Amino acid sequence: MKTAIFFCYNNNYININNPDRTSPKENLIFFINHGITNTENIHYYILCSDCKLDIKMPNYKNIFIYENIKTPIEHAFGAWGIILKKININDYDYFFFLKDTARGPFINNSLKEFIPHWTDIFTKKINNKTKLVGPCIYCTKKRKNYCPNPNTT
């Protein structure tokens, strides 16, 4: 099974409404350190929307970088659409779409020895009945850096 992971990045983005939020650059660095492996079955597409990559990437053959992607719509959706037209999507069984405004992946250290790759958590749930899987956490109370009773789906 082959997987394509698309990470859309724009280093020009600043969240003026929430300056305490992590930056796209910090989130991409976290993804590089915790989400990328040198595995031939998984291809990583780093899509730089209207910018050049300003972070050192590992020198793996399964990482593909596209810079200065000009998008007419919201940067992530536009970049994903442009790249999906350039690759042979039939080469892949699974697709992951990530955006630089989110941080992850997060895997409990005690589970890492049982999970070959973080994408397996999602792909194992896909079957003839379930076609789409994703994480979502809703915080029930508004508090800085605190989520008392998250509802997960």
Side-chain angles (χ1 to χ4, degrees):
M1 298 292 200
K2 210 165 185 184
T3 301
I5 299 173
F6 303 92
F7 189 103
C8 194
Y9 174 67
N10 184 324
N11 61 8
N12 299 318
Y13 176 78
I14 298 170
N15 189 342
I16 58 174
N17 296 326
N18 189 357
D20 294 333
R21 190 174 190 163
T22 57
S23 74
K25 188 172 190 172
E26 292 170 314
N27 292 338
L28 178 55
I29 291 169
F30 187 92
F31 180 71
I32 292 166
N33 293 332
H34 301 281
I36 293 181
T37 57
N38 191 5
T39 307
E40 69 179 51
N41 292 352
I42 300 173
H43 289 171
Y44 301 90
Y45 293 88
I46 307 301
L47 315 175
C48 301
S49 177
D50 294 316
C51 67
K52 289 239 183 223
L53 187 63
D54 57 351
I55 297 170
K56 184 168 175 40
M57 295 293 293
N59 189 22
Y60 299 158
K61 291 180 181 179
N62 62 329
I63 297 176
F64 306 94
I65 299 168
Y66 292 84
E67 296 179 309
N68 283 321
I69 300 172
K70 302 294 182 206
T71 59
I73 57 174
E74 195 275 336
H75 85 93
F77 295 111
W80 294 331
I82 289 168
I83 297 307
L84 284 171
K85 291 177 183 175
K86 291 184 177 192
I87 67 169
N88 185 355
I89 62 171
N90 295 318
D91 288 345
Y92 299 101
D93 300 294
Y94 301 109
F95 298 88
F96 287 80
F97 298 93
L98 308 169
K99 194 173 169 186
D100 60 7
T101 55
R103 182 170 285 199
F106 294 100
I107 298 178
N108 185 311
N109 284 335
S110 64
L111 298 176
K112 286 184 180 177
E113 66 183 274
F114 304 107
I115 301 169
H117 191 265
W118 63 268
T119 56
D120 295 331
I121 295 169
F122 301 100
T123 58
K124 287 182 190 273
K125 295 181 181 291
I126 295 174
N127 56 42
N128 288 337
K129 188 176 177 182
T130 304
K131 304 296 182 188
L132 180 66
V133 179
C136 189
I137 296 176
Y138 303 100
C139 292
T140 56
K141 293 183 181 176
K142 205 173 187 180
R143 292 187 183 164
K144 187 176 181 178
N145 300 323
Y146 181 66
C147 191
N149 299 310
N151 299 314
T152 59
T153 56

